[in-house]
Amino acid sequence: MRIVQAVPLLLFVSALTFFLQLFIPGDAARSIGGLTASPQAIAALRHRLHLDQPVWERYWAWLKDAVHGDLGRSISNNESVAGTLNTRLGVTLSLVIATTLLALVVGVVLGMASVRGGRTTRLAADGASIAGMTIPAFWAGLLGIWVFNTRFGLLPANGYVFFGTSAGGWARSLVLPVAALAFALVTVIAKQTREQFADVLSRDFVRNLRANGVSERSILFKHSLRHVSVTVLTVAGNNLIGLLGSAVVIEELFGLPGLGSAAVTAASSGDIPVIQGVAVYFTLIVVGLNLLLDLATGWLNPQAVAA
């Protein structure tokens, strides 16, 4: 079902991105050709880029090529857009997947601790939630750089090491970006986890389990967690779009060569094919990760999915 839903979503995103280029000021052909280019050279360049065709024809031609994996060529360097983005895809996937997993694990643990803990624990969890919702990922990243790089020199402040080059270097290069990006999502998941656990633990079946002598640990992890997991994973999926938006900022801050930094560079140079390609890739990431979260939900609680 998720894959079927992805088709109209991809069409909508690609069309929206394509037609928004009409509102970008300036002439792409003039920007590429430069101020010294002759009118004849600019006209030839516009023809090569299909800018002299009606916008509907240009979109239809782009869509037909995109179906076959051809997203066009970059206006800036004439390189294949798909080839360029494929080299950057792994960086963004590493960042987003690691962030999602970290936020799920830490958020659920904090949420459970705030439910079973005392007043001090709940107040600390509330304070962390407020901080997470008010401190942007950019500022969290800057704080992490100041503490763990500038102050103590423990972690790199920028750059990316590919996994094939060094697994340890890859992990170190992602620690600060992932922590900064996960900060807000952790607090959202922790809050939802606490609310869901509080609701589940007040239900009749839990009282029956306690009356039958089932341990609190078993009630919490074996019985309640399966009910809570559906809502928690849904919250994580609903936050993926915002997560990708923040990932663009984090990639720029930490110098990660991912899709987000490609989008920023393309936007500053008016490279429309690259911007369109990034939008399509981001949509595919959201759909793919939501599909994985759906599968995880079905594994944890198949009755809830069937319902």
Side-chain angles (χ1 to χ4, degrees), residues 96-241:
V96 173
I97 293 175
T99 298
T100 304
L101 292 176
L102 176 66
L104 284 171
V105 172
V106 177
V108 169
V109 170
L110 289 178
M112 293 172 66
S114 64
V115 168
R116 305 307 300 168
R119 183 172 181 271
T120 302
T121 304
R122 289 194 296 270
L123 288 176
D126 289 339
S129 297
I130 294 173
M133 288 184 287
T134 54
I135 299 177
F138 177 78
W139 288 109
L142 287 177
L143 180 61
I145 290 174
W146 181 76
V147 173
F148 295 102
N149 179 266
T150 305
R151 183 87 178 190
F152 298 107
L154 298 175
L155 295 168
N158 56 69
Y160 180 81
V161 178
F162 287 90
F163 185 85
T165 302
S166 170
W170 171 79
R172 282 173 51 83
S173 66
L174 283 176
V175 170
L176 288 181
V178 167
L181 194 57
F183 187 63
L185 186 57
V186 163
T187 59
V188 172
I189 291 177
K191 183 175 183 297
Q192 288 293 327
T193 300
R194 184 179 69 175
E195 292 176 355
Q196 291 299 311
F197 264 112
D199 175 65
V200 171
L201 292 175
S202 66
R203 295 181 184 178
D204 291 337
F205 83 92
V206 173
R207 285 192 287 268
N208 292 333
L209 290 173
R210 286 172 176 156
N212 291 326
V214 178
S215 67
E216 286 294 319
R217 182 182 181 86
S218 179
I219 291 174
L220 198 63
F221 288 96
K222 184 177 179 180
H223 300 280
S224 301
L225 184 58
R226 287 183 175 272
H227 291 267
V228 173
S229 63
V230 175
T231 300
V232 171
L233 291 176
T234 300
V235 169
N238 291 339
N239 281 272
L240 282 177
I241 295 178

Side-chain angles (χ1 to χ4, degrees), residues 1-18 59 62-63 237 240-241 244 276 279-291:
M1 180 62 69
R2 183 74 67 177
I3 297 175
V4 175
Q5 294 173 346
V7 175
L9 178 61
L10 282 169
L11 288 174
F12 172 76
V13 170
S14 64
L16 179 64
T17 309
F18 192 92
Y59 174 68
W62 176 87
L63 187 61
L240 282 177
I241 295 178
L244 284 173
Q276 290 174 274
V280 171
Y281 272 55
F282 273 0
T283 305
L284 290 173
I285 290 174
V286 171
V287 171
L289 289 180
N290 269 299
L291 179 60

Side-chain angles (χ1 to χ4, degrees), residues 46-102:
R46 288 181 61 81
H47 179 72
R48 182 172 66 85
L49 298 174
H50 306 291
L51 297 177
D52 56 348
Q53 297 177 356
V55 63
W56 287 104
E57 292 184 12
R58 286 157 50 195
Y59 174 68
W60 179 245
W62 176 87
L63 187 61
K64 288 191 297 184
D65 291 337
V67 170
H68 295 90
D70 182 5
L71 297 176
R73 308 196 75 82
S74 168
I75 292 177
S76 301
N77 53 30
N78 201 37
E79 293 182 357
S80 168
V81 172
T84 299
L85 298 184
N86 285 341
T87 61
R88 294 171 170 265
L89 178 61
V91 180
T92 299
L93 283 178
S94 297
L95 177 63
V96 173
I97 293 175
T99 298
T100 304
L101 292 176
L102 176 66

